[in-house]
Amino acid sequence: MDLPLSLDRTSSTTLQMQLCEQLRGAILDGRLAAGTRLTSTRALAESLTVSRNVVVAAYDELYAEGYIEGQRGSGTFVTRDLPPLPKRTRPEPSGVPRWLRTPAPPDLDVLEDDPNLIVFRIGRPNTALISAETWRRAWNDVANQLPPSYYGAPGGDGRLRQAIADYLGRSRGVACDAADVVVTSGALQAVDLVARATLRAGDPVAIEEPGYPSARRVFTARGAEIVPVPVDEDGLKVDELPEGNDAPLLVYTTPSHQYPLGARLSIRRRLALLSWAERCDALIVEDDYDSEYRYDSPPLPALAGLDQAGRVVYIGTFSKVLSPALRLGYVVAPPPLRERIVRLKRLSDYHTPWPVQRALATFIESGGLERHIRRARRHYAEKRRIVADAFRPVSEFATLRGLEAGIHVFLELHPTLDAQRVIERAHRAGVVVESITEHYLGTLPRNGLLLGYGGLTLDQAERGSAILAKAIREELGSAFANAPPRAYAHRPGVINDAPTV
Ligand SMILES: Cc1ncc(COP(=O)(O)O)c(C=O)c1O
């Protein structure tokens, strides 16, 4: 029994009555649950510095009322079969208090998947591919040490920073050392820290349109004015970035695999973007969230690897490559910005939890991460082939985009197909897919679905794609029952190539 009790010796209510009331109250509001063992009368009397008789009398009263049970010598317990007690509710202020008059944060779903459905949820990797033995060894290493009795460095554990720096140099052409890397609780915290370090209310921030809604929300929450910039088959349309006085302070981009359409920012545009940033005294936020998975050609060097002028902040994450539940990401920033990011990290949560950092350091140092990436790349490549095959028969009306990389694809639908009706039809047949609409800020979204295939087994990917292709065929049948389709014509600005499979 670990309950705060306090007795007022100046009160006119007797000590035994006060004790009895406090214990009864705790039983009634659920703080002392049915079956909880009560502290012995001797120990409780000692801790309250009262005579043992006071406690015995309070317990006797509660016995008599039926709240507690038990035999002398074998312990006293809260009665096990008390009728269900009313649920405890926290008090609420009446009306809207002064301290709740700021805009409420967005109420976002935390999506849980129904195991009976095949869920093409974007951003889910297949964690079953992780070698359980290597994983266990990394965690045993942590489990065999007691945690330190002090806070760690806000920038992150030294071994993990070194392991990330080495990995970035090898795989992404980003030359950095451990001191350049700041470990964060996921890429999203990195975006938030960058926003806090750089923005004042009203500052313009360019983001890709369509783009990553969570990043957009972070910038908005920090008071930014969002400037949507369109993307095409070469990624962000750099020549549409405002210049001069209208130039945004910061541009957020996903050059390796544009989120969510899947384009790769061409080398010409990479160089143009870097020179725009220098010309306009702006910062590029490069979110390299899933560059590990590129199937047909090696990835282009990261913008941060090409940057000569300290204009790029590079953000990476273990969410796609291992698991989003780890909440582990990192950021490499030009020195003056890095210093601010470290200070803000210290201010917000001191540092990312020590056990996760240490286990990941061991996992990477042992070669486990890169072995995992090689294995996972083969698995995802096979899955995307399965997905591509399934939609080939309907490719005139449903075209896959962005298959070359990552663990999701965009399925662009013929303009006459109603994406929402396809989603509902697929759902009735046991498949969940998302519309692309939410990823747009503006009003002219492309028509289509996002298929996150990363978290599915090969079999689920095959069955799910077949069900979805069938839903599209059925929807075509009902859409064209009355009006036969005109030839498939893309709208201007839409990628107009053959299916990218
Ligand atoms: C574009 C993009 N960036 C980053 C992330 C990952 O963020 P985090 O590391 O916070 O899980 C995601 C996950 O969906 C994403 O889609």
Side-chain angles (χ1 to χ4, degrees), residues 2-310:
D2 197 9
L3 190 73
L5 297 165
S6 72
L7 303 180
D8 179 0
R9 284 158 216 275
T10 61
S11 163
S12 58
T13 311
T14 63
L15 292 178
Q16 77 184 56
M17 190 72 88
Q18 290 183 46
L19 182 57
C20 184
E21 275 170 11
Q22 289 182 31
L23 290 172
R24 192 192 294 113
I27 294 170
L28 283 173
D29 70 15
R31 279 174 295 148
L32 277 181
T36 306
R37 185 190 194 112
L38 264 62
T39 309
S40 71
T41 51
R42 184 189 308 278
L44 188 55
E46 259 172 35
S47 75
L48 293 171
T49 55
V50 295
S51 117
R52 193 168 164 211
N53 290 343
V54 168
V55 181
V56 170
Y59 278 21
D60 282 349
E61 176 64 24
L62 292 170
Y63 268 117
E65 293 174 10
Y67 287 105
I68 60 177
E69 60 189 6
Q71 305 285 323
R72 197 172 287 277
S74 64
T76 306
F77 300 87
V78 177
T79 304
R80 266 161 250 261
D81 58 357
L82 280 178
L85 301 168
K87 228 182 144 24
R88 191 159 28 130
T89 53
R90 300 285 308 137
E92 266 191 51
S94 60
V96 181
R98 279 195 303 139
W99 36 270
L100 275 187
R101 298 207 180 136
T102 50
D107 181 13
L108 303 173
D109 291 337
V110 175
L111 300 167
E112 269 187 38
D113 295 346
D114 180 339
N116 301 312
L117 301 174
I118 297 176
V119 184
F120 280 96
R121 186 85 67 209
I122 195 159
R124 301 268 166 96
N126 185 350
T127 53
L129 301 172
I130 300 171
S131 152
E133 198 193 322
T134 317
W135 187 251
R136 205 175 307 115
R137 238 184 282 126
W139 280 92
N140 275 345
D141 207 38
V142 180
N144 286 331
Q145 308 165 51
L146 292 174
S149 58
Y150 44 84
Y151 294 102
D157 174 78
R159 273 180 48 208
L160 179 60
R161 292 165 93 178
Q162 186 64 54
I164 292 172
D166 294 346
Y167 168 70
L168 287 180
R170 277 195 304 276
S171 68
R172 301 298 294 123
V174 179
C176 59
D177 57 35
D180 295 315
V181 176
V182 179
V183 177
T184 60
S185 298
L188 202 58
Q189 186 186 48
V191 175
D192 190 43
L193 293 172
V194 170
R196 286 167 63 194
T198 54
L199 296 179
R200 284 181 291 207
D203 280 339
V205 169
I207 58 161
E208 292 166 337
E209 169 79 336
Y212 182 38
S214 296
R216 186 174 71 220
R217 290 187 198 108
V218 165
F219 290 123
T220 305
R222 296 290 167 200
E225 287 294 329
I226 301 295
V227 181
V229 179
V231 299
D232 65 11
E233 68 273 26
D234 280 336
L236 180 76
K237 292 175 95 171
V238 175
D239 55 3
E240 296 205 15
L241 280 167
E243 301 255 352
N245 287 342
D246 293 335
L249 198 82
L250 212 135
V251 52
Y252 166 85
T253 179
T254 49
S256 308
H257 186 226
Q258 199 277 325
Y259 186 94
L261 296 183
R264 175 170 66 162
L265 192 68
S266 66
I267 193 76
R268 198 179 56 76
R269 288 210 187 152
R270 279 172 202 246
L271 298 174
L273 182 58
L274 288 165
S275 104
W276 171 87
E278 213 177 329
R279 205 164 55 246
C280 296
D281 192 16
L283 178 71
I284 300 166
V285 182
E286 176 177 27
D287 182 352
D288 208 22
Y289 66 106
D290 73 356
S291 63
E292 286 82 3
Y293 298 127
R294 176 154 282 283
Y295 308 107
D296 305 316
S297 53
L300 288 173
L303 284 166
L306 300 170
D307 176 31
Q308 299 290 320

Side-chain angles (χ1 to χ4, degrees), residues 379-392 400 403 457-466:
H379 167 86
Y380 293 132
E382 172 67 359
K383 231 168 1 186
R384 77 176 184 139
R385 187 195 58 72
I386 288 172
V387 173
D389 285 351
F391 291 100
R392 203 162 275 127
L400 287 167
L403 262 178
T457 62
L458 296 177
D459 175 59
Q460 285 174 322
E462 183 159 12
R463 282 188 294 125
S465 303

Side-chain angles (χ1 to χ4, degrees), residues 354-434:
W354 171 84
V356 189
Q357 293 199 62
R358 267 300 160 94
L360 249 289
T362 308
F363 189 74
I364 301 173
E365 287 164 358
S366 73
L369 178 69
E370 277 153 284
R371 274 197 304 279
H372 168 73
I373 291 172
R374 283 195 294 276
R375 188 169 43 244
R377 202 180 277 142
R378 285 194 296 277
H379 167 86
Y380 293 132
E382 172 67 359
K383 231 168 1 186
R384 77 176 184 139
R385 187 195 58 72
I386 288 172
V387 173
D389 285 351
F391 291 100
R392 203 162 275 127
V394 289
S395 64
E396 210 183 328
F397 300 97
T399 309
L400 287 167
R401 311 279 182 201
L403 262 178
E404 303 80 359
I407 52 176
H408 75 266
V409 281
F410 171 47
L411 184 65
E412 181 156 28
L413 296 179
H414 187 283
T416 50
L417 270 170
D418 182 333
Q420 196 50 41
R421 285 175 59 98
V422 173
I423 289 172
E424 283 158 19
R425 204 178 269 278
H427 192 263
R428 286 195 294 276
V431 169
V432 176
V433 281
E434 302 170 48

